[in-house]
Amino acid sequence: MDFTSKNIITTAAVTAALLPTSSFLMQESQVAYADSVEYRVITGDDVNFRKGPSTDYASLGKLNKGYKVEYISETNSWSKVKYNGQTGYVYSKYVAQTSTTSNTQVKYVNCTSLNVRSGPGTSYSIIKSISTNTKVEVISTNNGWSKIKEGSTTGYVSAKYLSDSQTSSSTSSNTTSTSTSASKLVSYAKSLLGKPYVWGAQGPSSFDCSGFTYYVFKNCANITLPRTSVDQSTYGITVSKSNLKVGDLVFFDTDGANDGNVSHVGIYIGSNQFIHSSSTKGKVVISDFTNYYNNAFVRAKRVL
């Protein structure tokens, strides 16, 4: 046996002798760690989850207020944490013990149907809809949007549709107020009948379809809708055609076969009719839900 072979065997023997001890220590460490897992909560929104303990390291993603993370250690004002299977670093001032951040509130839905979205804005997808007086847990509120938990669902809702108590006797007065506002809105819209259709126009002398709805809601109800029919179709509370009320926005696909893409909008005025700025008629008109518009109907939104 040459020197090289002897050296390899000797090295292997030494390594083998050391392995049980180091392996045991590693196992003990892992057991101890498993027994002392500590969870903490993120206290800010859009907090960077970085690869290392400084701003020089790339971000792995963003963590928002209320997110629960597994706390590992702290280095120079940076907390090493684990979230969703990834380990990274968060600036420590945005990490707090769960016992000090239990600031959730209980609130109740104060409208007929409230969309719960995947993010804080109407551009985010709808996860589900919840009804009047549904009890929710509010985790945080920022810029008019509340992050809530309802049952097993966590998402975002417009904060103005949440109240501290359930709706009871005030329901009838709220309904009357809404009905009055809707009637005024329709009367205002009808005062614009005959105004010419001009693509891209939003009043006061001419309108395209979404320019008409934008103008009416802004000037009569002090509600600023998004400018296009597509964007308007994501605003407010979704209602079915069978549940339409005066003042609801109604959306259609008027470009060929109805494949669900919004291209036209009007305002429901009751009696199976809606008012809109029609490119076909060349002016603001009232139309019936005929076979054509029934087939072209995509969705309705309630914003009053």
Side-chain angles (χ1 to χ4, degrees):
M1 181 181 294
D2 58 22
F3 174 77
T4 303
S5 299
K6 288 181 180 180
N7 189 44
I8 292 172
I9 292 173
T10 301
T11 302
V14 171
T15 302
L18 291 173
L19 274 176
T21 302
S22 60
S23 177
F24 174 76
L25 289 174
M26 181 176 68
Q27 291 171 3
E28 285 295 305
S29 175
Q30 289 173 341
V31 170
Y33 176 73
D35 288 341
S36 59
V37 172
E38 179 182 348
Y39 291 98
R40 296 196 177 184
V41 174
I42 301 300
T43 60
D45 282 317
D46 291 330
V47 177
N48 278 307
F49 183 38
R50 297 187 181 276
K51 290 184 178 180
S54 83
T55 55
D56 294 331
Y57 289 88
S59 176
L60 295 167
K62 301 281 190 177
L63 303 180
N64 288 317
K65 184 182 290 187
Y67 282 20
K68 188 177 180 182
V69 297
E70 183 179 319
Y71 175 79
I72 299 173
S73 62
E74 186 165 342
T75 303
N76 297 327
S77 299
W78 287 83
S79 294
K80 185 177 182 180
V81 300
K82 188 173 182 180
Y83 177 76
N84 200 26
Q86 286 188 305
T87 300
Y89 293 81
V90 176
Y91 196 49
S92 294
K93 78 173 185 177
Y94 297 118
V95 182
Q97 295 180 344
T98 55
S99 60
T100 63
T101 59
S102 181
N103 297 320
T104 57
Q105 295 177 290
V106 171
K107 298 229 173 191
Y108 300 89
V109 176
N110 62 18
C111 61
T112 304
S113 179
L114 178 60
N115 289 328
V116 181
R117 296 183 179 272
S118 59
T122 55
S123 61
Y124 291 88
S125 60
I126 297 172
I127 300 172
K128 65 186 291 188
S129 293
I130 49 181
S131 58
T132 306
N133 289 333
T134 298
K135 180 180 178 181
V136 301
E137 182 181 341
V138 178
I139 299 169
S140 62
T141 300
N142 289 290
N143 298 322
W145 288 86
S146 292
K147 182 179 182 182
I148 62 106
K149 183 174 182 182
E150 193 277 315
S152 60
T153 300
T154 299
Y156 294 80
V157 299
S158 177
K160 69 180 180 179
Y161 295 116
L162 297 178
S163 298
D164 292 330
S165 59
Q166 290 184 320
T167 302
S168 55
S169 58
S170 61
T171 301
S172 58
S173 61
N174 289 340
T175 300
T176 301
S177 176
T178 301
S179 178
T180 301
S181 298
S183 296
K184 287 175 62 178
L185 186 90
V186 169
S187 295
Y188 187 81
K190 286 181 177 180
S191 72
L192 302 172
L193 280 168
K195 295 282 187 180
Y197 174 94
V198 175
W199 186 85
Q202 58 186 49
S205 300
S206 58
F207 309 90
D208 64 10
C209 67
S210 57
F212 175 69
T213 51
Y214 176 89
Y215 183 86
V216 170
F217 274 85
K218 183 175 182 179
N219 287 279
C220 184
N222 198 30
I223 294 174
T224 303
L225 299 174
R227 179 56 184 85
T228 67
S229 59
V230 173
D231 290 339
Q232 287 179 10
S233 71
T234 67
Y235 190 87
I237 302 165
T238 302
V239 293
S240 65
K241 186 174 180 297
S242 61
N243 193 37
L244 283 174
K245 291 184 178 180
V246 173
D248 287 346
L249 290 168
V250 285
F251 298 90
F252 306 90
D253 183 351
T254 54
D255 293 335
N258 187 352
D259 58 5
N261 293 318
V262 170
S263 58
H264 190 60
V265 60
I267 302 170
Y268 186 67
I269 62 173
S271 302
N272 210 35
Q273 293 182 317
F274 65 100
I275 186 170
H276 59 127
S277 184
S278 169
S279 60
T280 303
K281 300 293 186 181
K283 58 185 178 181
V284 176
V285 297
I286 292 174
S287 297
D288 295 319
F289 270 101
T290 59
N291 289 336
Y292 173 76
Y293 284 114
N294 275 330
N295 293 332
F297 179 79
V298 176
R299 70 177 66 94
K301 289 285 188 174
R302 185 164 298 154
V303 297
L304 288 176

